């Protein structure tokens, strides 16, 4: 497996990468972060593997994620219900409470929480399949 890319689009884009062992590779946010800049940044971390899945924090998948997914040839994991700010904080705290200290804004929180959500979902499916 490669990496999970959590994205929170908007004027400021939040981005988080998690490897297949659950290690946080990067948490970042930038203004005017377009598709080519995001892909370029993600590719600079290709020593961890290619992007296997993109993670969203909303039921409705944003266009930016659809465009990046199409360019990278990856799937998208999104929750059945939008993740509230409280739920995002809970996800991050349960994963590693010290991570909250390094988060600069709500965009980074959303990107990190969605990538952790996707990681846990993939690990659950992996365990479930290994039992059959």
């Amino acid at each position: 497996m490669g990496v999970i890319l959590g994205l929170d689009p908007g004027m400021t884009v939040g981005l988080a990468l998690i490897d297949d062992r659950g290690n946080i590779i990067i948490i970042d946010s930038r203004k005017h972060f377009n598709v080519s800049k995001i892909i370029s940044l993600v590719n600079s971390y290709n020593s961890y593997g290619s992007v296997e899945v993109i993670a969203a924090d909303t039921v409705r998948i944003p266009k930016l994620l659809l465009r990046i997914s199409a360019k990278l040839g990856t799937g998208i994991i999104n929750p059945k219900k939008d993740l509230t700010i409280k739920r995002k904080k809970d996800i991050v705290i349960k994963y590693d409470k010290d991570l909250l200290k390094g988060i600069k804004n709500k965009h980074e929180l959303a990107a990190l929480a969605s990538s952790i959500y996707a990681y846990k979902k993939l690990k659950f499916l992996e365990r479930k399949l290994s039992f059959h």
Side-chain angles (χ1 to χ4, degrees):
M1 190 172 143
V3 298
I4 296 167
L5 170 62
L7 283 173
D8 180 52
M11 288 296 288
T12 300
V13 175
L15 178 145
L17 279 176
I18 297 181
D19 71 14
D20 60 348
R21 292 186 183 139
N23 300 307
I24 309 299
I25 300 167
I26 183 176
I27 304 166
D28 196 6
S29 58
R30 300 183 188 185
K31 288 191 182 291
H32 312 293
F33 213 19
N34 63 27
V35 172
S36 61
K37 289 179 183 176
I38 292 169
I39 290 173
S40 178
L41 177 68
V42 169
N43 285 340
S44 72
Y45 291 92
N46 67 2
S47 62
Y48 294 93
S50 59
V51 174
E52 294 294 322
V53 69
I54 296 173
D57 66 339
T58 57
V59 173
R60 193 174 143 270
I61 300 169
K63 289 180 185 176
L64 178 71
L65 276 68
L66 292 170
R67 280 188 244 131
I68 292 173
S69 172
K71 291 237 185 222
L72 296 176
T74 66
I76 298 174
I77 292 180
N78 61 321
K80 291 181 181 176
K81 282 176 52 176
D82 290 353
L83 300 179
T84 63
I85 291 177
K86 181 185 179 335
R87 178 85 172 106
K88 291 172 197 176
K89 286 181 180 177
D90 289 345
I91 288 169
V92 172
I93 288 168
K94 285 180 185 174
Y95 193 74
D96 181 348
K97 64 180 186 233
D98 293 331
L99 284 173
L100 274 182
K101 296 174 192 168
I103 294 174
K104 295 179 281 198
N105 55 50
K106 65 181 182 178
H107 308 291
E108 291 182 6
L109 175 64
L112 180 59
S114 65
S115 60
I116 292 169
Y117 175 88
Y119 174 77
K120 287 183 173 185
K121 189 168 188 174
L122 289 171
K123 286 299 174 187
F124 171 78
L125 292 172
E126 190 178 276
R127 282 192 304 274
K128 193 173 179 180
L129 289 172
S130 70
F131 287 122
H132 289 85

